[in-house]
Amino acid sequence: MPRTDQPDSLPPEWEPCAPGEVARLGKRLRGRKTRRAVLRATAGTVGAALAAGGFWLALGRAEREHDYGGLTCAEVARRGAEYVAGTVPEPLRARIAEHVARCPRCAPLFEQMQRRG
Ligand SMILES: [Zn+2]
């Protein structure tokens, strides 16, 4: 004979909650938990963006603003040392020179680098 734990043997007073009350409470709890999780996720994303991505976010904006000689500031900065050392191959060197000549952001940086040698 199979043993069951069905509460069909319990007296009726063992059901203190009205039908639907437990489900309602559970739904409310779940809703609160979800809102907290969303808040936490949003705060985490914003915090990470501010902490680690803020610089790159600013650089990304600057890249779109300063696109001279067909090069972005990030590309110019990446080849900056080579450019100052005179080891950048010609078509690229001319483009960097054009960028630096026209870019108000890179010009002072390269002036400094070249002065330093
Ligand atoms: Zn630039």
Side-chain angles (χ1 to χ4, degrees), residues 62 66-68 71-74 76 99-100 103-107:
H66 303 291
D67 183 5
Y68 305 114
L71 288 170
T72 63
C73 291
V76 170
H99 180 108
V100 173
C103 180
R105 187 163 169 258
C106 294

Side-chain angles (χ1 to χ4, degrees), residues 80-117:
E82 293 172 67
Y83 174 77
V84 172
T87 58
V88 177
E90 189 39 57
L92 184 61
R93 196 205 63 80
R95 282 165 75 193
I96 293 176
E98 190 190 341
H99 180 108
V100 173
R102 295 168 63 188
C103 180
R105 187 163 169 258
C106 294
L109 290 175
F110 272 73
E111 213 174 293
Q112 254 176 33
M113 278 172 81
Q114 274 168 328
R115 232 180 277 155
R116 242 183 279 153

